[in-house]
Every structure is written in C-alpha cells, then in structure tokens.
Amino acid sequence: MARYSEYESHVLMAGYMDPYDICACYTDVCTVVNYPVLKSRCFGLRALAESRRYDIVHIHAGPKLFYWFHKFSRIFQKKKLIFHYHGSDIRLTPKDIRLDVEKYADRILVSTPDLLQYKLDVELTYVPNPVDTKLFARHDDISCNNRGRCNLKPGQDNDWTKNVLDEYGYGDVDWDFQCRLGGAAERNSGGRVAFADMPHILLDYEYYADIHFDKSTGRTYQADSKTALEAMSLGLKVIRYDGTTSNKLPKRHMPENVAKQMDSIYRDIA
C-alpha cells in the first residue's frame, strides 16, 4: 500500500502465508497478522480497513482477495489496484475467474518472465523479483567443497531431479535434496529454515541447483527462483533451469533497479 506524494508504504502479511518468517527481517515496514479461524476472510477485512490510508493497493494474493478490494474499496474511496502474480496463483487459477477479476486492475504484474505466456485479455508487466543484497551480501570465499543444495517443490521426485542434474553435467556433486512441504505445513515441519538464517545455510555449499518440475507443461520451470537469485547474490554457483551456471546476481534484480521500475508504474497509474 502506498501514497503517491510521500511514498509512505506498509506491508500487511497473513501469518499463514509467511512460513519462513520473511517479514521478521523487515519489521519496520511489515506487519504480520494471525487469525486462527476463517483466516483468509479475516485477513481480507483487516487489509481492507487499513487500505483506507493509502492511494495504491498492491495485492500479492489470489483473485478472490483482489475481487474483494475492487468491490469494497469503493465504500471508502476509489483505489488504484495492482494485482501481482508469483507463480501457482496464475498457473492454477481457471481462465474464467481470471477474466472476471483482471479487468478491474489498474496494472497486473508477474514476478518471472515465463508467466507472461499466461496473458489473457489484460496486458501483463514483468517486474523482476528484488533480492536483499545486504542480507545476501556477496562472499568471495565460497567453499570449494563440491557440495550442492537443491530445494525440491512439494511432490518433486528426487530421481527425476538427479537425472536432470546428471544430464547437465553435475551428477558428481554431493547433492543435499531438501523437500519442501509448502504453506502452513512448512511452518510446522522440523526442517524449516527461517529466512534470516538462509544466507548462513547456503554458504555451506558450493552449488545451488534451481531445478523444478512443472506438472502443467511436463518440463522444468523456465525461470530463476527467488532462492536461486539469493544464492547468486552470495556468490554460489547456481545451476539454472536450462543447465547454464551463474554466480552473479543479474542487475535487473538489484533492489534499487526494481524500485525504479515500481516508481515508474506507480506514477503511470496515478
């Protein structure tokens, strides 16, 4: 949420949507709210109430919450609404539902370039995921221990992932495969890693494999994940979805460059 003139902004995060405690690293600009019953409905009402103070509402959530804002923000005053997709929210939402809600957005953003293929009637704008280059500051003494980490998506097969890495020429790396559960289940799992601890965890490895299976297409996701970008920022050798390797964060993901793009978008819809 933001005001045009001062760019006063604040992030409201539902606790069940933050299993890695990312917002705990940014308590000056982020508030986490927890509701044990009817979670999404209570969070939506809280977000609607707090949005009265702002001119732009930037929503990182599913179409249902966006539709709420379109309907109810008129009770307070007309808001500029930005809808921001991050992956499964656009891949798994039926086209008829998307068509029904996207027409109300002042701008629709996607966080990875592969999501541009999901365009319907409304234009999509790619805004690269920003990386916290202070938390994930570059290290020039990355371990040369031939160890690698790969975070698997829920249900991702170990053998399939190993075969892909072998095809890419990294079968001899000592891989540590970490299975993610996703969502609230991740918070309750014993192997959960808090976001603040992730740099320390990643620095135990020489490699990070960003290989994920997309069930809808039958191939790897054609985009760099947020964790892969953070590993690049640290200086790890990141094996990307196409088999190439990078140990440098692309400039488009630098926070100052993403902020400039968002400034342009906010000014354009004002």
Side-chain angles (χ1 to χ4, degrees), residues 141-147 203-207 237:
D141 56 347
I142 297 296
S143 300
C144 295
N145 55 14
N146 201 43
R147 295 185 65 216
L203 288 170
D204 282 340
Y205 303 93
E206 181 178 358
Y207 296 93
K237 298 168 187 159

Side-chain angles (χ1 to χ4, degrees), residues 9 44 125 144 241:
S9 62
T125 301
C144 295
Y241 57 90

Side-chain angles (χ1 to χ4, degrees), residues 6 13 27 43 86 91-92 103 107 130 141 145 150 158 201 213 218 223-224 228 241 245 252 268-269:
E6 306 165 351
M13 171 68 79
T27 54
F43 175 76
H86 289 271
R91 294 188 185 100
L92 302 180
K103 60 189 176 184
R107 191 66 60 89
D141 56 347
N145 55 14
C150 181
N158 274 30
I201 298 293
F213 183 69
D224 297 312
Y241 57 90
T245 304
R252 64 179 176 273
D268 185 55
I269 67 173

Side-chain angles (χ1 to χ4, degrees), residues 133-190:
T133 50
K134 291 184 178 179
L135 182 60
F136 294 90
R138 187 169 185 82
H139 285 64
D140 294 322
D141 56 347
I142 297 296
S143 300
C144 295
N145 55 14
N146 201 43
R147 295 185 65 216
R149 181 184 177 100
C150 181
N151 291 346
L152 304 179
K153 287 187 176 295
Q156 183 171 337
D157 184 69
N158 274 30
D159 290 337
W160 175 86
T161 309
K162 289 177 182 177
N163 288 337
V164 172
L165 289 169
D166 188 52
E167 290 174 8
Y168 287 164
Y170 295 95
D172 60 340
V173 173
D174 181 15
W175 289 108
D176 179 8
F177 293 100
Q178 295 291 324
C179 298
R180 292 179 53 193
L181 301 178
E186 193 74 32
R187 174 175 288 281
N188 299 324
S189 68

Side-chain angles (χ1 to χ4, degrees), residues 34-103:
N34 292 288
Y35 294 104
V37 181
L38 299 175
K39 296 179 291 188
S40 60
R41 184 176 299 175
C42 292
F43 175 76
L45 291 172
R46 169 77 176 269
L48 278 166
E50 295 209 8
S51 72
R52 290 180 295 175
R53 301 171 49 219
Y54 299 91
D55 303 303
I56 299 174
V57 181
H58 189 150
I59 302 172
H60 303 259
K64 182 181 291 187
L65 183 61
F66 184 82
Y67 185 74
W68 276 26
F69 267 93
H70 160 68
K71 285 293 186 182
F72 292 103
S73 66
R74 292 177 299 176
I75 296 175
F76 311 126
Q77 65 182 64
K78 174 65 176 175
K79 305 289 183 184
K80 297 293 184 177
L81 299 178
I82 294 177
F83 195 13
H84 204 143
Y85 286 117
H86 289 271
S88 59
D89 48 6
I90 190 172
R91 294 188 185 100
L92 302 180
T93 302
K95 289 183 179 180
D96 57 333
I97 294 178
R98 288 185 52 208
L99 286 168
D100 192 42
V101 300
E102 289 180 2
K103 60 189 176 184

Side-chain angles (χ1 to χ4, degrees), residues 244-264:
T244 61
T245 304
S246 175
N247 69 344
K248 292 183 179 179
L249 180 68
K251 290 184 178 179
R252 64 179 176 273
H253 296 284
M254 297 288 186
E256 59 272 22
N257 293 331
V258 179
K260 287 179 182 178
Q261 185 179 0
M262 286 308 310
D263 175 72
S264 176

